[in-house]
Amino acid sequence: MITYKKCTEVDLDIIYKAFQVGFSDYMIKLDMSQEVFIKRFFGPEGNELKHSFIALDEERPIGVILGGIKVYEGVKTLRCGTLCIHPDYRGHGISKSLFALHKETGVENGCKQLFLEVIVGNDRAIQLYKGLGYEKIYDLSYFSHSEPSSISTNLGTAYTIKEMDTETIGLLQPYIEDIHINWQNDFDYIKKLEGVNHYGVYGDTGLIGTMSAHTNGKIYFLWIHPAHRSKGIGKTLLSHVANLSNPAELNISFPNNASLEGFLKHLGFKRDKISQYEMYLTPIK
């Protein structure tokens, strides 16, 4: 008999087992320890046990949906942080039952929209989400540069690069309110990560550009004041990060930004094979 429970009612190792088996045949290998799973999915990803549900066949974990709530771009949002079903139990309505509980959680907590990301090519999942009322709103692209040391420039003495703290970079929020930033790159997500450093470029008029990057080369945020673009400031920040941590490659992801895409391609970044859709269900009732 299949039953559904809130994740607060089961041990974390049961949730982890559901995650493991649900993604055992996934198109991208998700091989992580229970410690890493908990730290990531209930850390920066923003999922909470009280907003997540698990499906059980007797005592056997066969599916899980993780959820997290926050005010995202001014709208109280419930995000599906992951959904996975045991391969032997797919096609029996378990995903829809988990999503019914997920949606009910959103309604009970006054959320105005549901949100998720899905990998392009995962047609079965995409059709499920469309059937549940989700619509694709943004395309999320991934780019990488395999030779970071080749990105070099020198702005001269008119500009200074300084390390910033999380609070200072968060003050930029009013300047980027008209720019859509994906969930895993926004300030709320970044401040929960370890190993991420923030850098600012200062000129005569003050702060004119910033970057947040992990020591492994993952770039989470890159912004240049519109009045100072096309002057090599973005390139300088990338070069600065590459020289400091010497990563094997640089990686960046972002939704629907033709200007940023053109800039990266000019520097030698290549589009990765993986891409995602950002899908929304709004309003929810």
Side-chain angles (χ1 to χ4, degrees):
M1 178 180 176
I2 297 175
T3 58
Y4 300 88
K5 292 184 178 182
K6 191 171 285 191
C7 283
T8 51
E9 301 177 69
V10 299
D11 293 335
L12 286 170
D13 62 326
I14 300 297
I15 300 169
Y16 175 62
K17 287 177 181 177
F19 172 82
Q20 275 189 309
V21 72
F23 282 112
S24 59
D25 62 345
Y26 195 47
M27 55 198 304
I28 295 176
K29 189 173 180 61
L30 293 177
D31 185 14
M32 65 183 73
S33 67
Q34 181 173 331
E35 181 182 1
V36 171
F37 165 72
I38 294 170
K39 187 174 183 179
R40 173 180 168 183
F41 283 88
F42 294 101
E45 292 290 336
N47 301 299
E48 294 187 73
L49 294 174
K50 64 182 179 181
H51 297 143
S52 305
F53 298 88
I54 190 166
L56 303 162
D57 186 356
E58 300 299 339
E59 299 299 319
R60 185 186 190 190
I62 58 170
V64 67
I65 186 167
L66 303 181
I69 294 176
K70 75 176 180 182
V71 176
Y72 179 51
E73 298 188 326
V75 181
K76 192 171 186 180
T77 303
L78 171 60
R79 174 183 180 246
C80 171
T82 196
L83 168 69
C84 59
I85 307 297
H86 190 299
D88 296 342
Y89 288 82
R90 294 172 190 161
H92 297 285
I94 296 171
S95 291
K96 291 183 179 179
S97 295
L98 286 170
F99 257 107
L101 294 167
H102 181 73
K103 184 177 180 180
E104 183 180 332
T105 297
V107 173
E108 290 176 348
N109 285 274
C111 295
K112 302 302 181 184
Q113 64 183 8
L114 303 183
F115 164 71
L116 57 81
E117 303 100 341
V118 59
I119 290 179
V120 177
N122 191 352
D123 297 333
R124 182 170 183 163
I126 292 170
Q127 289 306 118
L128 168 69
Y129 302 145
K130 286 182 177 179
L132 293 168
Y134 283 80
E135 295 181 276
K136 188 205 86 170
I137 304 299
Y138 296 103
D139 296 286
L140 184 55
S141 301
Y142 291 76
F143 286 80
S144 59
H145 196 299
S146 59
E147 298 181 7
S149 61
S150 68
I151 303 174
S152 61
T153 188
N154 185 1
L155 285 176
T157 58
Y159 302 93
T160 303
I161 298 179
K162 298 179 182 179
E163 191 162 345
M164 307 167 64
D165 57 28
T166 305
E167 288 71 25
T168 302
I169 199 168
L171 296 176
L172 289 173
Q173 189 68 53
Y175 296 94
I176 59 172
E177 288 182 347
D178 60 339
I179 302 172
H180 172 62
I181 299 177
N182 54 301
W183 183 284
Q184 294 171 323
N185 281 359
D186 73 4
F187 294 145
D188 182 63
Y189 188 98
I190 294 172
K191 70 182 181 182
K192 298 174 184 176
L193 295 171
E194 298 176 356
V196 174
N197 299 308
H198 314 286
Y199 305 96
V201 175
Y202 293 82
D204 293 339
T205 57
L207 182 65
I208 58 176
T210 67
M211 173 180 285
S212 298
H214 196 280
T215 53
N216 64 10
K218 167 67 176 175
I219 301 160
Y220 287 93
F221 181 73
L222 174 61
W223 175 84
I224 308 300
H225 190 288
H228 295 274
R229 292 174 185 170
S230 301
K231 296 181 179 180
I233 295 169
K235 184 179 180 181
T236 296
L237 282 167
L238 288 166
S239 175
H240 183 72
V241 168
N243 289 332
L244 276 180
S245 55
N246 192 29
E249 63 178 14
L250 295 176
N251 306 98
I252 187 171
S253 60
F254 54 89
N256 299 72
N257 190 325
S259 176
L260 180 55
E261 180 173 339
F263 164 73
L264 294 170
K265 286 182 176 178
H266 179 72
L267 293 181
F269 279 78
K270 305 294 183 184
R271 183 188 294 271
D272 296 341
K273 291 182 179 180
I274 183 176
S275 60
Q276 290 181 294
Y277 295 142
E278 292 186 1
M279 302 184 74
Y280 291 77
L281 192 162
T282 183
I284 59 173
K285 300 177 182 178

